Amino acid sequence: MIDAKTKLYGLIGKPVEHSLSPVIHNALFKKCSINAVYLAFEVDDLDSAVKGIRGLKISGLNVTMPYKEQILEFLDELSEEARAIGSVNTIVNRGGKLIGYNTDGIGALKALKRFTEVENKNILVLGAGGAGKAIAYTLSRLAKVVVLNRTERKAKELEKFGVKGEKLGKENLKYYLSWADIVINATSLGMNEDKTPIPKKLLRKNLVVFDIVYFPLETKLLREAREVGCLTVDGLWMLIYQGAESFRLWTGVKPDVEFMRKVALEALKSERQSI
Ligand code: ATR
């Protein structure tokens, strides 16, 4: 029940109306008997939104596009990852101090680790946007990472993490796919469309294929990877593990990821019906 002690959490971004996070976090609060609610806020003016967080003492927030980078200058402290990546997806309000974290990288790592070993593997990341950057940073601590990106400059910028960054092209895609144990699609290619960043003929059975896109749940890339016999990991696992890390940062509780997945799958199904 919502009462005078209910704590407020939420998501800021634009657009936010299709986000699964409110459904997942509210289900978790209920399951864990935590007196809190989670709402999605569509934000036009970040400056006034942050004043609102402070003024209303909102307990914690997720940050999504297009504010993950812009939010940094408004925060009081940053975690080591958030500072290195230059992007924040989670804010914790600790006694009035707004602390920024980034759980995208750890979310991707935990999603992968659920299915396969990651340490010392050869990992090819496609995409050097917000998600690609976080993933490259986190995985570079424990594996060999190559990033290919359509815009070369963004791939090169990631070399400060000790990864190799190149412009995405036909030849190097083929080359690094034969080198890789794991390939991760961190581009938005395949979201709401039947397109893939990797031609099917370049896939082989012993490759682990992880797509961070979760709508559709089985992207063209994952479908073709499954047909070839690859181990596949879908983007909903990444969403769940990054959300689980945010929840832990806010509440100190490590949530049940199976339960989160069940709730998210039900929400995805009804979302699909409503589109
Ligand atoms: P996110 O926060 O989800 O990572 P983003 O920061 O907008 O979103 O990044 C999108 C990524 O998808 C980028 O790496 C982008 O490549 P560019 O840096 O060249 O823009 C990549 N991307 C989007 N559409 C693509 C396409 N058609 N082909 C290849 N890469 C694409």
Side-chain angles (χ1 to χ4, degrees), residues 4-218:
K5 289 184 182 149
T6 305
K7 289 196 168 138
L8 178 56
Y9 292 85
L11 166 71
I12 54 173
K14 188 178 180 175
V16 291
E17 62 184 332
H18 293 297
S19 172
L20 292 176
S21 297
V23 173
I24 295 172
H25 287 291
N26 284 314
L28 278 179
F29 286 140
K30 195 170 170 195
K31 184 173 165 40
C32 302
S33 302
I34 294 171
N35 187 0
V37 291
Y38 184 108
L39 299 175
F41 299 103
E42 186 179 292
V43 165
D44 296 317
D45 173 6
L46 190 59
D47 186 24
S48 53
V50 177
K51 288 192 176 113
I53 299 168
R54 295 184 191 277
L56 298 176
K57 298 182 182 172
I58 292 175
S59 304
L61 287 158
N62 282 130
V63 184
T64 189
M65 285 200 321
Y67 300 124
K68 284 180 165 188
E69 286 161 13
Q70 289 172 47
I71 191 77
L72 266 75
E73 62 171 300
F74 295 99
L75 303 177
D76 303 311
E77 267 177 40
L78 295 173
S79 73
E80 194 188 317
E81 283 108 321
R83 186 185 305 278
I85 300 161
S87 161
V88 161
N89 77 332
T90 305
I91 301 172
V92 179
N93 187 344
R94 203 160 284 144
K97 218 181 225 186
L98 300 185
I99 308 171
Y101 296 85
N102 189 308
T103 68
D104 285 333
I106 186 80
L109 174 61
K110 290 203 165 180
L112 266 177
K113 274 182 128 172
R114 182 188 177 93
F115 296 96
T116 187
E117 277 204 19
V118 179
E119 239 159 81
N120 300 319
K121 296 286 180 192
N122 293 346
I123 304 181
L124 175 60
V125 180
L126 305 181
K133 208 160 59 166
I135 290 170
Y137 171 80
T138 303
L139 295 184
S140 70
R141 319 278 101 182
L142 68 167
K144 279 166 258 159
V145 178
V146 172
V147 181
L148 300 181
N149 193 54
R150 183 176 59 180
T151 307
E152 184 175 15
R153 178 186 47 84
K154 280 157 81 180
K156 288 284 175 212
E157 272 171 22
L158 301 190
E159 294 201 330
K160 65 182 177 213
F161 300 149
V163 310
K164 193 166 175 55
E166 291 182 13
K167 179 170 169 56
L168 173 63
K170 270 188 190 159
E171 284 311 310
N172 59 356
L173 177 61
K174 191 173 164 187
Y175 175 79
Y176 285 115
L177 275 171
S178 64
W179 162 85
D181 302 300
I182 299 170
V183 61
I184 304 173
N185 175 39
T187 75
S188 44
L189 216 117
M191 195 193 299
N192 280 313
E193 57 181 9
D194 203 40
K195 288 187 183 162
T196 174
I198 305 174
K200 190 175 181 183
K201 63 176 191 294
L202 296 186
L203 295 171
R204 61 189 153 74
K205 207 177 167 190
N206 55 350
L207 192 64
V208 175
V209 180
F210 177 22
D211 199 337
I212 70 156
V213 173
Y214 65 85
F215 200 89
L217 189 58
E218 188 177 65

